[in-house]
Amino acid sequence: MNAISSIVELDRQIQQLQTQCLQHTALRSLEPQLKRLAHCNQSIHDICHAASLELGQVSCALAGLLMLLDQSEIKHLEREQVYCLLEPFTQRLQQAYEQLQELT
């Protein structure tokens, strides 16, 4: 089971438990914990979504950079120029990595 299907399954299980709490008064004491669990699950989903979007944007930008570097008009780039082109991607990848690390 991958991360997204696990999050979806967790959400489904939380909803089922919340429904059971509404149907059975003896289970209502679990409602605060279920609300907290649902909130945590949503936070995980949001982090995964944000990291996925960020990685997608970086991937597209790197593909564009490769096309730019592959153009025949660009024969020589200085090390500083290459660094300036790649440094923002490094920062964005590091941020996405840190977001994903929060989940583990």
Side-chain angles (χ1 to χ4, degrees):
M1 188 177 288
N2 65 36
I4 298 300
S5 61
S6 295
I7 291 170
V8 170
E9 177 62 18
L10 180 57
D11 189 50
R12 190 180 69 75
Q13 292 294 328
I14 291 169
Q15 288 177 0
Q16 283 181 346
L17 288 170
Q18 287 172 332
T19 300
Q20 289 178 2
C21 283
L22 292 174
Q23 294 170 349
H24 305 285
T25 56
L27 298 176
R28 292 217 173 125
S29 64
L30 297 175
E31 285 179 355
Q33 290 88 353
L34 286 173
K35 284 181 183 178
R36 177 71 181 137
L37 190 57
H39 175 74
C40 291
N41 187 49
Q42 185 61 46
S43 293
I44 292 169
H45 179 271
D46 293 345
I47 290 169
C48 286
H49 183 70
S52 174
L53 290 175
E54 190 71 20
L55 291 172
Q57 289 176 356
V58 169
S59 177
C60 288
L62 284 172
L65 179 60
L66 285 175
M67 277 189 354
L68 175 73
L69 293 173
D70 199 32
Q71 290 178 356
S72 59
E73 298 93 47
I74 300 176
K75 295 183 180 173
H76 180 71
L77 286 177
E78 295 296 323
R79 187 169 49 186
E80 284 182 34
Q81 292 171 315
V82 172
Y83 177 82
C84 288
L85 289 170
L86 294 176
E87 198 269 336
F89 301 118
T90 302
Q91 289 179 1
R92 291 178 70 181
L93 285 171
Q94 182 63 35
Q95 289 171 348
Y97 171 75
E98 289 170 4
Q99 287 178 328
L100 291 173
Q101 283 296 104
E102 291 176 12
L103 298 177
T104 60

